[in-house]
Amino acid sequence: DYSERQLRRITHQTIQKVERDIVDFKFNTMVAALMEFTNALYKARAANLGGTAAWGEAVEALMLLIAPVAPHIAEELWARTGHDFSVHQQRWLVADAALAAEDEVEVVLQ
């Protein structure tokens, strides 16, 4: 099952990945990352995270992240979700490294 923490983690990891891929001109892997993110959203919705703050942040992030590769779809989704102005006039997302970090478990070996 997905938790809000996991959804926020995948959101910020996707922001990091998309930004790296844009800088490196790796648009095919950028699209792949967005598809993986979409699949994670389906799993989160199945885990009843649909009305949470993490869900809202993730959906908004998806719309902003698809804008460079699917500008017309992003603009339509942005307008249909009640946002003012254009999706292309919004600030680019900044990933939070602390939220993107995987949970660490320290294992002691003898």
Side-chain angles (χ1 to χ4, degrees), residues 73-91:
I73 292 171
E75 190 67 43
E76 183 69 22
L77 292 171
W78 192 256
R80 286 186 182 212
T81 53
H83 292 90
D84 292 331
F85 307 107
S86 171
V87 69
H88 305 288
Q89 294 176 329
Q90 307 307 310
R91 286 184 172 266

Side-chain angles (χ1 to χ4, degrees), residues 17-72:
K17 174 79 171 121
V18 167
E19 187 169 347
R20 269 194 316 271
D21 288 345
I22 288 174
V23 168
D24 295 339
F25 293 98
K26 294 182 177 180
F27 302 112
N28 56 338
T29 56
M30 174 188 165
V31 171
L34 292 170
M35 291 170 61
E36 289 174 13
F37 186 44
T38 303
N39 290 337
L41 287 173
Y42 281 118
K43 291 177 185 175
R45 186 177 64 183
N48 295 321
L49 293 177
T52 63
W55 175 263
E57 293 168 16
V59 170
E60 189 165 296
L62 179 63
M63 289 184 284
L64 291 165
L65 293 172
I66 66 170
V69 290
H72 301 289

